[in-house]
Amino acid sequence: ALPPTPPDEESRLLDFVHDGTCGNKVIYGCGKVFSDVVSSLLWRTSFDEFDRIRFVDRNPGTRRFGKFVISLSQPEEVDWESVDAVLICTPTHNEEIGRYLLSKNSRLWISNIAGDAAGH
């Protein structure tokens, strides 16, 4: 069964994925919130939409979500200068993460799955 994602979070997630104005995107998260978001996304989207999305987690590695296998990168492995937009999917520390990301690339467009804007 699909984990329920709150409707507003789901719409923010899908808007982020389908937004054609941003080139390289990162979905950044950790823990259960992140797993639920990724699972929700995989079931609602065609897989070819992930070619420009990188998944970043402080616990990197390969994870299985149903029939999908996703590779998670560490934040240090990302060339942040080449990233255009980030969606933060963490339950806490969003401001710290936002500051960290903006220190790597001040042009980043940062949004948050919970709805509080973290970027510019």
Side-chain angles (χ1 to χ4, degrees):
L2 190 60
T5 302
D8 50 343
E9 290 187 7
E10 187 177 312
S11 63
R12 277 191 278 279
L13 177 65
L14 293 174
D15 287 349
F16 180 79
V17 172
H18 297 298
D19 178 2
T21 60
C22 295
N24 296 313
K25 302 176 191 178
V26 166
I27 295 179
Y28 185 113
C30 66
K32 183 172 176 5
V33 172
F34 187 49
S35 295
D36 289 352
V37 162
V38 173
S39 297
S40 168
L41 184 60
L42 291 172
W43 287 106
R44 291 169 174 78
T45 325
S46 64
F47 206 73
D48 54 335
E49 297 187 61
F50 292 121
D51 56 353
R52 289 180 306 155
I53 295 181
R54 189 161 179 183
F55 293 90
V56 174
D57 191 331
R58 283 176 292 210
N59 302 314
T62 305
R63 303 258 170 80
R64 176 173 289 281
F65 295 93
K67 61 183 176 179
F68 302 104
V69 175
I70 296 286
S71 177
L72 303 174
S73 306
Q74 282 181 292
E76 298 76 25
E77 295 171 341
V78 176
D79 172 12
W80 291 106
E81 284 296 321
S82 69
V83 175
D84 299 303
V86 180
L87 179 67
I88 298 176
C89 304
T90 53
T92 57
H93 305 301
N94 297 325
E95 285 188 26
E96 289 166 46
I97 293 167
R99 280 195 298 275
Y100 166 80
L101 295 171
L102 288 171
S103 76
K104 301 293 184 187
N105 177 352
S106 60
R107 297 173 296 99
L108 275 178
W109 181 261
I110 301 174
S111 53
N112 187 310
I113 191 82
D116 41 327
H120 54 271

